[in-house]
Amino acid sequence: MNKSFLAVALFLLMVFSSHISAQILTTSKHPIIIINTDDEDIPDEPKIDASMGIIHNGDGLTNSISDPFNQYNGNIGIETRGNSTQGFDKKTYSIELRDADNEDLSVDLFGMGAEEDWILHAMVIDKTQIRIPMSFYLAQQMGHYASEWKYVELILDGEYRGLYILVEKIKRDGDRVDIAKLDSDDLAGDSLTGGYILRIDWTYDIDKDTDGFESAYNSQADIPMYFQWYYPKADKVKAQQAQYIENWINTFENALFSSDYTNSQGIRYDEYIDLNSFTDFLLINELSKNSDGYKLSSYIHKDKDSKGGKLVAGPIWDFD
């Protein structure tokens, strides 16, 4: 039997044989996360103060809500996140780990690398509860970065909220999207060429004049694709950096949309992109039947030229 197929089959068996959600939780084989907001409503933004404890006695061992917190026990900021999923009772949350002074605190949770920003993803539309983890797993097996994740049980203000995944937030970081840091004074030469992360997502709540730029070509629904600033953030990107990456994308698209896939400089489109990443990105979106594929919750990134400089599809995100 093919080893890759066997690995996937074992993964599915593990998931389907795991704990099934119940209305009241006392024990679980999954880590238990307990968050207390003192019954304060959690807004879309900004984050509110809360406390969080994690019970994890080890993989395969039973965790009880009466056990002491042994993975994390401290302050957090928490807010809801998402667009259409905001209307569901089971919500996805963005959390920020904080120290006693409410300053950002980087902690390595479940061996996923030290960071302060994490996502508690509800997977509310995906009734199987495996589409997102399976897609991340496939991307990782293909050799690409995808967020690490861990199945957890969530208790919020004393109420059991169900099975979640604690997942890495997409960030430029040595343990996450490992591209060059772009500082405010990186305005020329090789340092200007990377790194950048662009997001393709909902545009109804953004300012199109400041939050990104439009493609010169129409995409789905005969409207231009809109590339949103993700890294650097819209309020951090400098004019020279914005102009550089917009011109670079435009030059690439000139080649992609030409009749012979070559732009006026004589460069083919495939000289600009990492073909394997785009091929695998397409395969995962099609295999998962991702209804938001290519137009929402999609990312691309580019490192500086001295580190390859090609456009990479991903990281993949949100197949709910």
Side-chain angles (χ1 to χ4, degrees):
M1 180 181 293
N2 182 278
K3 289 184 178 179
S4 297
F5 177 82
L6 180 59
V8 172
L10 289 172
F11 176 89
L12 290 171
L13 179 61
M14 175 192 72
V15 171
F16 281 123
S17 62
S18 65
H19 174 79
I20 298 175
S21 297
Q23 293 299 311
I24 298 175
L25 179 75
T26 56
T27 63
S28 175
K29 294 292 186 180
H30 298 302
I32 301 173
I33 293 182
I34 299 177
I35 294 176
N36 181 24
T37 72
D38 289 330
D39 293 319
E40 185 176 349
D41 289 338
I42 302 174
D44 182 12
E45 58 180 23
K47 292 182 175 71
I48 62 169
D49 295 335
S51 63
M52 182 177 78
I54 302 179
I55 301 166
H56 178 52
N57 295 322
D59 290 342
L61 299 179
T62 298
N63 304 295
S64 170
I65 60 172
S66 61
D67 292 337
F69 299 142
N70 50 21
Q71 176 78 200
Y72 183 83
N73 183 14
N75 297 330
I76 62 168
I78 184 170
E79 64 186 3
T80 59
R81 61 173 283 136
N83 289 286
S84 58
T85 54
Q86 290 264 12
F88 290 88
D89 290 335
K90 186 184 181 187
K91 299 187 186 301
T92 290
Y93 301 101
S94 177
I95 62 174
E96 178 183 77
L97 307 184
R98 297 174 176 174
D99 63 18
D101 297 319
N102 264 355
E103 299 294 331
D104 293 356
L105 177 66
S106 291
V107 178
D108 183 350
L109 299 180
F110 306 111
M112 292 190 283
E115 254 294 350
E116 69 269 14
D117 293 311
W118 301 86
I119 305 297
L120 275 168
H121 203 304
M123 305 177 290
V124 63
I125 297 175
D126 177 17
K127 304 308 180 185
T128 69
Q129 305 282 272
I130 66 169
R131 186 183 297 128
I132 295 173
M134 188 66 183
S135 299
F136 288 167
Y137 171 81
L138 288 175
Q140 292 167 357
Q141 294 302 303
M142 291 171 168
H144 309 296
Y145 168 77
S147 297
E148 295 288 347
W149 52 272
K150 185 80 170 177
Y151 278 111
V152 298
E153 312 276 12
L154 176 63
I155 297 175
L156 177 61
D157 289 326
E159 180 183 349
Y160 176 54
R161 294 299 182 92
L163 186 69
Y164 278 68
I165 51 172
L166 180 73
V167 61
E168 294 177 325
K169 181 179 180 180
I170 292 176
K171 292 185 69 174
R172 188 219 67 83
D173 185 286
D175 288 324
R176 297 188 181 180
V177 184
D178 190 10
I179 57 176
K181 183 179 180 182
L182 191 67
D183 292 318
S184 59
D185 58 352
D186 289 332
L187 304 177
D190 183 59
S191 62
L192 176 63
T193 65
Y196 297 90
I197 305 175
L198 300 174
R199 177 172 61 189
I200 301 161
D201 210 341
W202 298 93
T203 59
Y204 63 84
D205 60 348
I206 68 171
D207 184 342
K208 284 195 172 183
D209 292 330
T210 60
D211 289 349
F213 60 93
E214 282 189 340
S215 168
Y217 298 89
N218 285 345
S219 184
Q220 296 184 27
D222 290 327
I223 59 174
M225 183 74 75
Y226 188 82
F227 298 100
Q228 299 178 28
W229 305 123
Y230 189 79
Y231 178 83
K233 294 181 179 179
D235 61 349
K236 300 292 185 183
V237 66
K238 300 302 180 181
Q240 296 95 321
Q241 297 165 349
Q243 192 63 55
Y244 167 79
I245 194 63
E246 183 174 354
N247 288 343
W248 193 95
I249 291 288
N250 187 58
T251 303
F252 154 61
E253 289 190 322
N254 286 342
L256 181 66
F257 282 89
S258 70
S259 58
D260 61 354
Y261 305 112
T262 302
N263 60 27
S264 60
Q265 288 94 340
I267 304 175
R268 277 179 56 86
Y269 81 96
D270 54 359
E271 292 296 313
Y272 292 92
I273 65 173
D274 179 78
L275 275 175
N276 283 343
S277 71
F278 277 83
T279 301
D280 293 341
F281 181 83
L282 291 166
L283 288 172
I284 293 174
N285 273 278
E286 294 301 320
L287 179 64
S288 65
K289 295 185 180 294
N290 184 13
S291 59
D292 289 341
Y294 319 123
K295 63 183 183 292
L296 298 171
S297 298
S298 295
Y299 296 81
I300 52 177
H301 62 277
K302 180 189 181 300
D303 211 340
K304 62 172 60 178
D305 287 351
S306 61
K307 296 180 67 176
K310 289 191 173 184
L311 193 67
V312 179
I316 63 168
W317 182 255
D318 203 354
F319 290 70
D320 197 9

